[in-house]
């Protein structure tokens, strides 16, 4: 009599699913880290002017205002430069209320030190930028910065 018996059926063993939860969580973490979430749907063209002296911005206490001509995502009738705060297109007279609404979305301890960052298209009109700055002064938000791209400054 032999100690080893030959298998007669040649069946495949069942698939081991013990490591499946590990693989699922590894994929979950990968996609959580690799995914970029956009905060605003940009509706204006925004080609920023270059500057040679730039520094990194702390975005935790920053509210962005976009000024430029309507982009491909804009569904309105305007052809001139427009102002976007958050996901809304606002008129210059509405900038004060819209920016104060955005500031209240910040954490409570950051609201008093909020910074307004202007992302202005390089072809936007200076009069519109001046009007927006006047509205920000009336809203008591004096900390204003201009966002640019790295490059040679314009002479």
């Amino acid at each position: 009599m032999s100690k080893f018996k030959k298998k007669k059926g040649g069946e495949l063993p069942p698939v081991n699913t013990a490591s499946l939860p590990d693989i699922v969580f590894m994929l979950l973490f990968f996609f959580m880290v690799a995914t970029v979430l956009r905060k605003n749907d940009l509706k204006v063209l925004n080609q920023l002017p270059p500057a040679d002296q730039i520094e990194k911005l702390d975005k935790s206490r920053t509210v962005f205002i976009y000024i430029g001509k309507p982009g491909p995502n804009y569904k309105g009738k305007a052809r001139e430069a427009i102002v976007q705060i958050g996901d809304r297109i606002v008129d210059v007279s509405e900038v004060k209320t819209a920016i104060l609404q955005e500031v209240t979305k910040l954490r409570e301890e950051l609201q008093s030190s909020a910074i307004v960052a202007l992302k202005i298209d390089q072809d936007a009109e200076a009069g519109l930028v001046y009007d927006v700055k006047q509205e920000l002064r009336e809203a008591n938000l004096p900390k204003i910065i201009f966002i640019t791209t790295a490059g040679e400054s314009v002479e």
Side-chain angles (χ1 to χ4, degrees):
M1 197 165 216
S2 68
K3 289 185 178 181
F4 302 104
K5 294 183 182 179
K6 289 186 178 181
K7 290 185 178 179
K8 300 204 178 197
E11 299 173 8
L12 291 174
V15 176
N16 185 4
T17 60
S19 64
L20 189 60
D22 295 334
I23 294 170
V24 169
F25 281 114
M26 199 165 40
L27 285 172
L28 178 70
F29 282 132
F30 171 76
F31 286 115
M32 285 174 56
V33 170
T35 303
V36 176
L37 300 175
R38 285 196 66 100
K39 205 171 189 183
N40 297 326
D41 183 24
L42 202 56
K43 297 175 183 155
V44 296
L45 295 176
N46 205 257
Q47 186 174 356
L48 301 174
D52 56 0
Q53 296 179 359
I54 59 174
E55 60 184 69
K56 191 86 172 149
L57 174 65
D58 177 25
K59 294 183 181 177
S60 64
R61 61 185 186 135
T62 306
V63 179
F64 292 93
I65 296 179
Y66 303 94
I67 300 175
K69 292 188 178 179
N73 293 342
Y74 181 65
K75 305 217 181 333
K77 297 178 183 176
R79 297 291 166 236
E80 301 173 355
I82 55 176
V83 179
Q84 177 180 347
I85 300 175
D87 278 339
R88 295 185 325 158
I89 301 297
V90 296
D91 193 36
V92 176
S93 61
E94 301 169 342
V95 167
K96 181 178 176 181
T97 57
I99 199 70
L100 290 175
Q101 287 175 354
E102 290 293 318
V103 168
T104 57
K105 292 179 184 177
L106 295 174
R107 291 195 328 245
E108 193 171 333
E109 62 269 10
L110 298 176
Q111 289 178 6
S112 62
S113 62
I115 296 175
V116 178
L118 296 176
K119 285 191 168 188
I120 304 169
D121 187 55
Q122 63 186 5
D123 296 328
E125 298 174 4
L128 180 62
V129 176
Y130 178 78
D131 293 341
V132 169
K133 285 173 55 178
Q134 289 298 328
E135 288 289 318
L136 292 174
R137 283 189 189 118
E138 289 178 17
N140 198 18
L141 292 168
K143 297 176 187 172
I144 301 172
I145 59 173
F146 294 90
I147 306 293
T148 62
T149 57
E152 296 276 328
S153 63
V154 180
E155 294 181 13

